[in-house]
Amino acid sequence: MQKRNELYRGKAKTLYSTDNPELLILEFRNDTSSGNGIRIEQFDRKGIINNKLNSFFMMKLEEAFIPTQIEKLLSDNEVLVKKLKMFPVECILRNRIAGSLSKRLGMEEGVILNPPLFELFLKNDAKHDPMINESYCNTFNWVSTKDLEKIRELTYNINNILVNIFNSVDLILVDFKLEFGLFKGEVILGDEVSLDVMRLWDKTTMNKMDKDRFRQNLGGLIEAYEAVAYRLGVNIY
Ligand code: C5P
């Protein structure tokens, strides 16, 4: 597969065109950002770890009949993906109170949410990704009612699959963010499923094993990512 032009450079990943108009190459960089890109640092090996973990999760989801963009792992930090027409929304699923939910409602971190909470945010850096809802998606034609229903159903199914995977290695999946797109009219999981887009706590110690280590200056970001990969049996070398 021939890598062609850089199409889009995000905060931690870059998309390239290929000689096949239906496929793109997604590159995971070592960049790590917080506060909507205000703070960016490089961490050695992070691109490799996220690429391998993303492939691992996406493959597990495919096995459970969740349609994902993934085609093939290409190298340590690159994966071949379908070219999707992305919806301009971020979908967040929360199993416990944490992060912005805790701040917004003044509620204590760690409280279990039953049923898990599904939230939508508009992808708009300049406006700091404001919270939206189904009515906004309808009125502004961001996502059709039918596609949003599918997205919601897929997100809850993905949550069940991921919760089981993490539970089996004594990790708590607190929350995560997903992005979806259309490929030949079908709703498909895009973007990434990595430790950059989820909160994971150790079941025994309640230690944070995700990007909050960077956001909250706790240190040991890469060590935590490596520990999660080790528990899951994912080879990151
Ligand atoms: O910050 P907040 O509590 O809303 O984040 C919820 C979840 O979504 C966290 O796991 C966070 O890592 C993820 N997220 C993300 N990208 C964003 C916003 C949130 O990956 N732009």
Side-chain angles (χ1 to χ4, degrees):
M1 186 58 56
Q2 194 64 42
K3 195 172 178 175
R4 294 245 168 112
N5 304 316
E6 182 178 308
L7 294 180
Y8 175 76
R9 188 177 165 90
K11 294 182 202 100
K13 307 188 292 298
T14 311
L15 267 176
Y16 297 89
S17 59
T18 68
D19 43 15
N20 182 334
E22 291 189 345
L23 299 176
L24 302 176
I25 290 175
L26 180 61
E27 178 197 27
F28 287 79
R29 308 195 312 272
N30 288 338
D31 296 328
T32 308
S33 70
S34 72
N36 199 15
I38 287 172
R39 188 175 148 225
I40 299 178
E41 278 177 39
Q42 278 76 39
F43 287 89
D44 216 23
R45 293 186 38 73
K46 181 168 157 286
I48 299 176
I49 299 169
N50 274 356
N51 185 37
K52 303 254 168 117
L53 281 173
N54 173 62
S55 284
F56 171 80
F57 294 126
M58 293 263 186
M59 294 298 186
K60 287 282 180 199
L61 294 175
E62 284 280 347
E63 284 169 21
F65 307 105
I66 302 288
T68 80
Q69 66 175 354
I70 204 154
E71 287 285 311
K72 195 171 135 209
L73 193 60
L74 289 180
S75 72
D76 273 354
N77 62 351
E78 293 166 313
V79 62
L80 189 64
V81 296
K82 294 183 187 75
K83 182 175 183 174
L84 310 185
K85 188 175 181 303
M86 297 302 290
F87 296 111
V89 299
E90 298 190 339
C91 309
I92 291 187
L93 202 288
R94 301 180 187 271
N95 293 305
R96 291 189 185 232
I97 295 178
S100 72
L101 176 64
S102 167
K103 282 202 198 90
R104 196 173 345 114
L105 300 184
M107 289 180 175
E108 195 191 337
E109 275 216 347
V111 175
I112 294 174
L113 296 164
N114 190 16
L117 201 56
F118 175 79
E119 297 176 340
L120 289 166
F121 294 85
L122 180 67
K123 274 183 78 71
N124 184 327
D125 280 346
K127 294 289 171 202
H128 304 286
D129 297 346
M131 192 179 199
I132 55 167
N133 62 30
E134 183 177 351
S135 189
Y136 283 71
C137 290
N138 243 317
T139 297
F140 296 112
N141 278 320
W142 290 327
V143 193
S144 73
T145 306
K146 184 169 143 276
D147 289 340
L148 190 56
E149 198 36 59
K150 186 75 196 167
I151 286 174
R152 196 187 157 89
E153 179 195 321
L154 286 170
T155 302
Y156 275 99
N157 287 343
I158 291 168
N159 184 48
N160 287 337
I161 297 161
L162 294 179
V163 161
N164 282 335
I165 291 174
F166 288 123
N167 192 39
S168 69
V169 292
D170 291 332
L171 291 168
I172 297 170
L173 179 60
V174 174
D175 56 31
F176 58 91
K177 186 261 307 183
L178 300 176
E179 295 182 30
F180 294 87
L182 287 174
F183 185 74
K184 298 179 181 174
E186 190 192 0
V187 176
I188 303 266
L189 176 63
D191 194 50
E192 68 181 300
V193 181
S194 77
L195 304 192
D196 275 6
V197 299
M198 60 178 73
R199 287 196 173 91
L200 270 185
W201 296 348
D202 180 274
K203 228 190 252 180
T204 319
T205 62
M206 297 303 256
N207 281 346
K208 298 178 198 294
M209 310 290 281
D210 54 67
K211 208 170 101 174
D212 270 354
R213 300 208 69 85
F214 172 70
R215 295 188 189 101
Q216 300 174 4
N217 287 311
L218 299 174
L221 178 79
I222 294 302
E223 289 78 1
Y225 281 28
E226 284 175 338
V228 172
Y230 179 77
R231 284 197 205 187
L232 293 168
V234 177
N235 184 1
I236 48 165
Y237 298 99

